[in-house]
Amino acid sequence: MGRHVSREHLVAGLASALRAGALTADAVALEARKAAEADEVADPVPAKPDRTNVTSLTERRLAQLPPDTRPPPSVAAYDQLLRARQSADRPAIQKEMP
């Protein structure tokens, strides 16, 4: 443990484990890591950027475009294709029926 944790943290881990009555190497290691993490938290850490104001690139681009005033597209031409197909299929179906 002394190879991976500083002496001060190891001593703090031993003292904490003894106070808790835990006399195993795992307890000492856990308490030593807690002491090391406590020292790291005491150091000033740069704040994470605020991500609540993030907008999508698509929304940003659409906000800059003028409104679309075109009428919605029509599918009436496709309906004509359906009617032409149905009339072509009917004679074939009628011939198959007894």
Side-chain angles (χ1 to χ4, degrees), residues 41-85:
V41 171
D43 294 338
V45 178
K48 292 182 180 179
D50 185 20
R51 300 207 180 253
T52 57
N53 294 333
V54 176
T55 58
S56 76
L57 186 58
T58 304
E59 289 177 9
R60 184 175 175 200
R61 287 178 180 165
L62 289 176
Q64 296 173 356
L65 293 176
D68 188 9
T69 58
R70 297 177 295 175
S74 173
V75 293
Y78 295 105
D79 291 339
Q80 294 174 0
L81 293 173
L82 288 175
R83 281 189 229 119
R85 181 177 175 209

